[in-house]
Every structure is written in C-alpha cells, then in structure tokens.
Amino acid sequence: MTTHSVSRLALVACMAAGPALPAFAQDLCGGAGANGQWIGGSEADSDIATADDYLQQMALVLMQNEYVSLFTLSEPTEVRMEAQGRGAGDPLFDLRSEDGTILLSDDDSGGDSAARAETMLEPGTYCLSTASYDGSPMTGFVRIGRLEHEALTPGLQGEPIDMGNGIGDGTMGDMGDMGDTGGNTGGGQMPGEICDMSRVTNYFGGGDPVDDMLGGGLSVEAPVNQVAYWGFSLSSPQPLTITAENESADPVITLYDSTGSWLAENDDYEGLNSLIELTQPLPAGDYCLAVRALSDESLPIALTLEAFDPAAQQTALYDNAEAAPPLDGSHPVTMLGPLESRLRQDVQNSGTAEWFAFEVDEAGLVIIEAVTNGLGDPVLTLYDDFGRLVTINDDYGDNFDSLLAARVMPGTYLVALRQYDDSVPVLTRLLFERYVPAD
C-alpha cells in the first residue's frame, strides 16, 4: 500500500462523462448503478464479449462517493477489470451483479496500488464501483476487457490467474502444487475458490459451537500454506468480529456460509491487517473462513473470533480518526479554547489518534500543520462539532508531514492527529493558524 489508509469508509463521486441513465436503469445493481456510466459510452457499445478492444474510462473520484462503470456481456466471458490511480492514488473496487450482489472485491492486485481482477462471468449487466482507499480525491483510469486485450496494470507478479467464480483478489504469480482442492489445507488456497465445509479440517473451538467462548475471544494461528480454511459453528445467532493479523503476510479474509455463499470480505483495515465486523447477528449454523496472504504464505497469521462489541467498535473509530468523539468527557480530547491567530502544540504521537478541540468566533480560514522533521508520518483529520468530516490530509509536498486548510464558520472544531506507522511514538509539532477576511 503506497497511499496511507485512514478508512475504507470512503465512497467516491461519479464523473459526469456520458449520458444519464434512463429511468429503467436506475435500479441497476441494487441501486449502485443509478449514477453509473456505460464504459463504452452507451449500453449497446459496452458489451465486453463482443468489443474489438478493451474499454476504458477516466474516473474522477471525489470525497465521500464512488465512480461506477457499467458493462454488459452477451455470452459467458473471461473478463479482466482494472483500476489505476494517477500519482499516489490508491483505488479499490467492488464488482456487483445486476441484482446488487457483490461478486468480488480488490485493492492492490494490479501492483503499485492498482486494483485488478480476472474472472469468468455469465451474460448480464454488471457494475464496477471504484473508490479511493483513504477517501482522498483521486483521478484514475478504469479498464475492462477480455484476457486477450492489453492490460492496464502489471499485476502482482505479472501473471494473471483465473478468478474462477469471481470471489477474491485479482492476480498472483505461480501458485505451485495446489494438491487436493477438496479438504486438503496443506497446499494453500487458490484465490477465487469458494470455501464450503468440505474444505475445512481446522476449526475454532475444536468444532464445538463457539457461542460460549466468544466473550474472551478465540484465537488460532497458522500460515496460509498450512491452513487456508477455518471452520466454526454457532448454536444461536451471534454478532461477530473476525480479525487477521500479520502485516508482513498481508492477510485477506473471506467468510462463507456452509453452502459456500459469500458473506463478507476484508483486505486492509488497519495497515495491512484485516477485520470483518458482523454487527447483525449471524444465524446459527456452520461457517467457513478462507484466509489468503498477498505477500508471504509461509508467515503465520493470527486469527481471532470474538463477540462484536459496539462500545469497542466506537472507541476504535475514534482511535483511528474515522469518527469524531463527543465533547462530553467520555473520550479524551484536549481543549485548546478559542483559536486567535496562532497556536503551537507539541505531542508525542502514535498510531492512536490524539484529539484536540478549538473554537473560532467568526468565519475565516484555518490552517493546521503537523511537522516531524522526517521522523514520522502524521495524518490530520478535521471535523466540525456535529461530527461531520471537514477535510483530511496525510502527505503534503515532498515529505510525509501533513498540512490541511479549511474554511470555517463560527463554532467548535475537532482535529485528530495520528501516525500512520504506530510502531514508535514520534514527537510531532502542531501549528494552528487562523485567518479572517480583511475589512
């Protein structure tokens, strides 16, 4: 990942390129295609199965929205989908069927932070939703074509791999001897293979229902080249949190029910670790968790299955600067008082966000700068007192320091400071400056 993540909450804005969809098309892909653009310019010219060459769009990704590319297939076709950002842009995408079902997701399988996936698709209409990984504005290209068409991205190792049923990330190198593709967990997991209970030989809780074990969390650990599928059973509906940790391995986790139906997937949540939160109770039954490593399948990945904790989730959002805490004292916030013209604050900052609140008494411009003199990589996030995101900045100029500027109205504002790499606390100097219009 070359662009530093704050959240995958970002959605992206549709570039107005091409005619608006007719009324009958507004419900495409469960509504996700309502503001989509046909990648060939029209529905008739967006059939990848018959296209003479790949089809491509320039995507303007703005904050808090998504760019949706629409295409059709008139016959079963192996399709390659790619999204590549300009500069430091880091795109990710979801592929949806006509009824809105997510068929696959990808973040970095194109190499150099580009997204890429290849899969066999049946005839129909599809929506490819492209977003910016950290929510920042991004300009990029979306390309959709058949495997014989020229690729936009190099892939992780330059060699495409068939995605099979369309679940999972895009390209990988030589997978070696896969062994038995049934329940053998010793040969690694072929990306795109559906995970059902026939593949599972290793279980959380030894195969017994885990309901009574979730309070303290259930943990297992193994490399993907030894165990790629883990099973667990629930005797009653349970909301769950599933984590996979080892950034050097770069894990991806995908959850399926006992029949192999896709339920949820996550690649990068905090850094390169992964997290799935099932806030609605998962029904009683058997489940299969597929694990992949995008970097090194020989490294152990620590998996934890535990009960979903709404309070812990809220705290995690505050600690990651993904939401602003209330100013009622329930979460630590340093109150700086009225911001006059200039204020300096020194902070020993880590990956856990430090929060500051300041007040402005008239409309104007606020500039906030975080400086580490090359020792750290600070991220600044600004919210108003209602909790609405105002702006965010990671890297400014030619270094990893941060600077954000925002027009403000009278009121209270909260700013979060965190280091992208939380391994070592870094002395960070914060500078607040306020400017008001001249009379």
Side-chain angles (χ1 to χ4, degrees), residues 185-189 201-204 218-231 243-253 289-294 296-304:
T185 59
Q189 177 195 355
T201 57
N202 294 75
Y203 289 83
F204 288 87
L218 280 170
S219 296
V220 295
E221 185 174 272
V224 170
N225 62 9
Q226 295 181 17
V227 184
Y229 304 96
W230 292 88
T243 59
E245 296 179 295
N246 188 334
E247 292 201 27
S248 297
D250 192 0
V252 180
I253 49 177
L289 183 69
V291 187
R292 288 183 291 121
L294 297 182
D296 189 339
E297 292 189 345
S298 68
L299 296 177
I301 294 174
L303 301 169
T304 302

Side-chain angles (χ1 to χ4, degrees), residues 138-218:
M138 177 187 73
T139 302
F141 292 95
V142 175
R143 181 179 295 188
I144 304 175
R146 299 190 300 275
L147 300 192
E148 65 265 27
H149 295 154
E150 181 182 358
L152 175 66
T153 66
L156 290 182
Q157 297 182 23
E159 299 180 17
I161 187 166
D162 181 10
M163 294 293 295
N165 54 44
I167 304 295
D169 288 289
T171 59
M172 297 191 72
D174 181 15
M175 297 298 296
D177 181 11
M178 298 306 300
D180 180 8
T181 58
N184 181 5
T185 59
Q189 177 195 355
M190 177 73 78
E193 289 184 347
I194 288 177
C195 172
D196 59 29
M197 304 316 292
S198 68
R199 298 185 182 276
V200 176
T201 57
N202 294 75
Y203 289 83
F204 288 87
D208 295 327
V210 299
D211 305 61
D212 295 335
M213 311 177 202
L214 296 172
L218 280 170

Side-chain angles (χ1 to χ4, degrees), residues 311-329:
Q313 181 203 40
Q314 197 66 37
T315 299
L317 291 175
Y318 301 153
D319 289 344
N320 291 322
E322 294 174 0
L327 295 174
D328 59 5

